[in-house]
Amino acid sequence: DEIANPSAQPALNDAVAKNGVVTEMARVYTAIKIDHYPGFHGTSGGYSVRVLSNNTVEFEGRSNVGTIGTKVFDINDSTYNELISLFESSNFFNIDDDIPMLIDAPENFTTYCNGRKTRTLIDFDAGVPQSLIQIRMRAEKILNISLYTSGTLHPAPQADSSI
């Protein structure tokens, strides 16, 4: 599930047509994506959140979260604009990405696309870079993702070993 140049992604919405003539075609792209991978010990939540440019949000819970599976919901323009403003005002494209790698630590990938360029940064829940961690946590708070990550935690589904 790679985020590429938005012009390379297919449109997810239909063109608006009047009298058989296409009058508008809006390209929908992933504006923000946050992926959490629990690391070797697997005790933190495994999930992803994807915010599309048409105000659709997709949550996918994989392990150690209250909701396993995919949930899709819409946000209003004000919330979408607050998220975009968060990434723009924090100068996301200029955050230092010289981050020490920690073996077996939880990995968090934060991706932002402003419609022209895309950047993905990684943090390992180790406090650096602090600005990236603050952006990620603030974005999840704006989206109220704790509705899906908290509650009764469900481990990842296990393969049937009886086969």
Side-chain angles (χ1 to χ4, degrees):
D1 186 34
E2 184 174 296
I3 297 175
N5 180 334
S7 62
Q9 292 187 13
L12 299 177
N13 60 332
D14 297 323
V16 177
K18 290 184 181 175
N19 298 328
V21 177
V22 173
T23 58
E24 179 184 330
M25 172 84 109
R27 176 120 353 238
V28 176
Y29 59 91
T30 300
I32 299 165
K33 185 169 186 204
I34 301 171
D35 281 309
H36 291 264
Y37 295 94
F40 180 73
H41 298 289
T43 56
S44 61
Y47 63 94
S48 68
V49 179
R50 191 166 84 130
V51 179
L52 303 177
S53 61
N54 67 352
N55 296 14
T56 299
V57 179
E58 298 172 355
F59 171 88
E60 179 190 358
R62 294 184 298 267
S63 64
N64 299 323
V65 293
T67 303
I68 298 293
T70 302
K71 297 292 180 186
V72 178
F73 59 95
D74 292 325
I75 55 175
N76 60 35
D77 289 340
S78 176
T79 302
Y80 180 82
N81 291 334
E82 183 179 0
L83 288 165
I84 298 306
S85 178
L86 170 67
F87 280 80
E88 288 293 326
S89 67
S90 63
N91 215 3
F92 184 81
F93 290 110
N94 293 318
I95 293 175
D96 183 16
D97 63 353
D98 187 20
I99 302 163
M101 183 171 182
L102 300 175
I103 304 299
D104 299 336
E107 296 177 318
N108 304 298
F109 294 79
T110 304
T111 301
Y112 174 59
C113 176
N114 66 6
R116 296 176 306 281
K117 59 184 176 178
T118 301
R119 184 170 191 215
T120 299
L121 295 173
I122 303 170
D123 73 82
F124 299 94
D125 277 345
V128 291
Q130 190 61 42
S131 57
L132 172 60
I133 294 168
Q134 289 173 352
I135 293 166
R136 176 174 48 81
M137 292 174 67
R138 178 71 184 131
E140 290 186 352
K141 185 173 183 176
I142 291 168
L143 292 167
N144 206 11
I145 293 305
S146 64
L147 288 173
Y148 303 109
T149 59
S150 60
T152 303
L153 301 184
H154 302 284
Q158 300 295 315
D160 185 358
S161 61
S162 64
I163 299 176

